[in-house]
Amino acid sequence: MASYGSSEAGGRTQQQPAALPSPPSSPGTGRQKGMRTGRGSVRVRARAWAELLRLPALFTVPGDALAGAAAVSARPTPRTFLAIASSLCLYEAGMALNDWADRDVDAVERPHRPLPSGRVRPAAALGAACVLTGAGLSFAAWAGRPALTVAVPLAATVWAYDLALKNTRLGPAAMATARGLDLLLGASATASAGGAGAAQRRGDGGAGPLGGGGGAGPVGGGGGLRRVLGSFGSGRLAGAFGVTPDAVGESGGGGAGHKGDAVDAWVSAVADEARAASAVAPTPTAFRTVRQALPSAALLGAHTLALTTVSRKEAQGGSPVGPLAALATTAVLTRLVARPRSLSTDRTGEGRRHGEPPSLEHRTTTARSLPPGPLAPPPRPDSGLRLLDDPPAALRAALATAYAVTAARPYFHAVLNPSPSLTQRAVTGGIRATIPLQAALAARSGTKSATLTALLTTALAPLATRFARKVSVT
C-alpha cells in the first residue's frame, strides 16, 4: 500500500506527503467512543419509530374525545381520558399498519421511510400494530361497555382501511368513519361516566371490579383498599399523590390518632371515587346520550373525508380536483361550526351529567334566543357588539377562523399548482387544521366546561407545530 495519495491540481498529478500517524488511544477512550456510538444508535432507532408512528400527528387525537364529551354537554371525566388513551393507541396502530401494508409501494415512491430504508423491520411494525390495537381495546374496556362497543368497530375500520380499502373508492369514507367513531368513543365514555356517578349517588355503587356499595368486590367499601394502600406506609403514599405528611394529619402535634383518622378519611374518599369510576351506566341510556354527538361526528368526518381524498395524490400530484373539493368542504364547515349547536328546549338541562338535578346555572342557547318579552331582555341595537354580549359565540368565531386559515391556504395553493410538494403541504395543513376544528366543535355547546375543553384542545396546536418541524406528519 503506497504512502502517498494523489490529487488533481493544475491538470497534473502531484504527490503529497503521507498523514502523520495518530497517537495511540487508551482503553478508556475506546469505551467512551462505544458509549457514544450506542447512544447514537438509540437515537437513530427512536427517530425511525417516531417517523413510522408520525408522532406529531398524535396531537390531533385527544381533541376527538374532548369534542365528544362537549357534544353530550358533559365535563371531561377520568373515563374521557381513558377514551383518549384508547384513541392514541388505535391511531398509532393504524400508522404502523399503514407503513407495513405500503412497504412495497414506499420502496419506490418513498424509499426514505423507516421500512424501505431498513431502519425498522416489517415484522416489528406489524407486531407494534397488534400490540397497540390490543392496548387500545383494553383502555376502551376499562372506560366502560359503551366505549368498548364503539372501540371495536373503530379498530376494525382502521385495519380494514390499511389492509383492503385504502386504494379503493371506499378508502376516504373508511377514514372519515374512523375519525367520527373516535369522537363517539369519547362521547360514549363520558356518558357512561355520568351514569356511573348517578348510580354511586343512589348508593348502589354498581358491581364493578372495585366492589361498590355492599362490598362484594375486592375492595369492598374501602376496607380492602385501606389494606392494600396501608402496606406502602401513609407518608410515602401521601407523597405519591402529592399530599404532604402535614396535610395528612401531622400538623399541630395531633399525634398518631389524628393522623390515622385523616388517612382513613382520605382513603375512603379514594375508594368512593374508585367505586364511582367502576360502575357501568345502563347501556341504552348511554347510547341515547351518545346520539347527541352524531352531528359533531359527521362534521369531523366530512373534514377527514376531504383530507383523505387529497392525500391519495400526495406522492404523484397532478390533479386539482381533490384540493378544490377540500377547499369547498372547508368553507362549508367553517360556516357550520361557527353556529351554536342545536340543544334541547330544557332551559336547565345543558351541561348536566346524566342523573344530576337541574341547575339554573346551566343556560341553553334556546333560552338566549327567546323572543323579547318579560323573561328575555331586548337585543342590543348595535349588531357589531353581539360578540361582546356572547363570549362563547366570539370563541366559536375565532376557532372557525383559525380552522379556515389553517386549512384553506395550502388547499388553495394545491389547486393552483397540484405538484407533489404542494399537495403534501396541503395534507399537512389539513392535518394541522383538525385541532382548531375539534376545538370549534367543543365550543359549540356554549357551556363553561365546553369553553374550557375548547381552550385545552387549542393548546395542542403549538405543540403539534413544534414537533412537526422535527418529524414529518405525512
Side-chain angles (χ1 to χ4, degrees), residues 114-173:
L115 266 62
S117 62
R119 290 176 293 160
V120 177
R121 293 183 296 108
L126 181 60
C130 296
V131 171
L132 288 169
T133 301
L137 294 177
S138 299
F139 279 119
W142 197 3
R145 189 187 311 160
L148 181 62
T149 305
V150 178
V152 169
L154 172 58
T157 303
V158 170
W159 279 73
Y161 172 82
D162 286 331
L163 298 181
L165 301 178
K166 181 189 305 180
N167 298 320
T168 67
R169 294 182 178 180
L170 297 178

Side-chain angles (χ1 to χ4, degrees), residues 114-422:
L115 266 62
S117 62
R119 290 176 293 160
V120 177
R121 293 183 296 108
L126 181 60
C130 296
V131 171
L132 288 169
T133 301
L137 294 177
S138 299
F139 279 119
W142 197 3
R145 189 187 311 160
L148 181 62
T149 305
V150 178
V152 169
L154 172 58
T157 303
V158 170
W159 279 73
Y161 172 82
D162 286 331
L163 298 181
L165 301 178
K166 181 189 305 180
N167 298 320
T168 67
R169 294 182 178 180
L170 297 178
M175 184 58 67
T177 301
R179 184 66 82 163
L181 286 173
D182 200 26
L183 187 145
L184 295 178
L185 175 61
S188 61
T190 307
S192 62
Q200 197 273 340
R201 284 188 295 273
R202 289 193 304 268
D204 52 10
L210 295 178
V219 173
L225 186 62
R226 291 189 186 93
R227 290 194 297 271
V228 174
L229 300 183
S231 62
F232 292 95
S234 60
R236 285 180 292 173
L237 178 63
F241 284 88
V243 182
T244 60
D246 294 337
V248 178
E250 291 182 347
S251 60
H258 292 285
K259 177 180 178 181
D261 294 340
V263 171
D264 286 342
W266 177 78
V267 173
S268 298
V270 173
D272 292 340
E273 292 293 333
R275 286 196 300 271
S278 64
V280 178
T283 301
T285 303
F287 280 110
R288 282 197 300 267
T289 306
V290 168
R291 275 186 287 181
Q292 302 175 17
L294 290 177
S296 296
L299 295 177
L300 186 60
H303 167 76
T304 308
L305 178 66
L307 174 60
T308 308
T309 303
V310 176
S311 68
R312 292 164 69 91
K313 297 291 185 180
E314 64 177 332
Q316 302 88 7
S319 176
V321 176
L324 184 60
L327 188 61
T329 303
T330 301
V332 174
L333 291 178
T334 301
R335 176 69 175 172
L336 293 176
V337 298
R339 298 177 179 177
R341 183 168 62 91
S342 299
L343 299 171
S344 173
T345 56
D346 178 10
R347 296 177 58 181
T348 60
E350 182 185 3
R352 287 192 288 117
R353 296 180 181 176
H354 176 73
E356 286 185 357
S359 174
L360 293 178
E361 66 176 348
H362 300 301
R363 298 178 300 170
T364 65
T365 307
T366 305
R368 289 195 297 267
S369 61
L370 289 175
L375 298 180
R380 299 187 62 164
D382 189 358
S383 59
L385 298 178
R386 289 179 182 176
L387 295 180
L388 298 179
D389 295 336
D390 194 356
L395 179 61
R396 289 194 305 270
L399 293 174
T401 303
Y403 164 68
V405 171
T406 306
R409 183 178 179 181
Y411 285 158
F412 182 70
H413 290 167
V415 170
L416 296 180
N417 181 15
S419 62
S421 60
L422 290 181

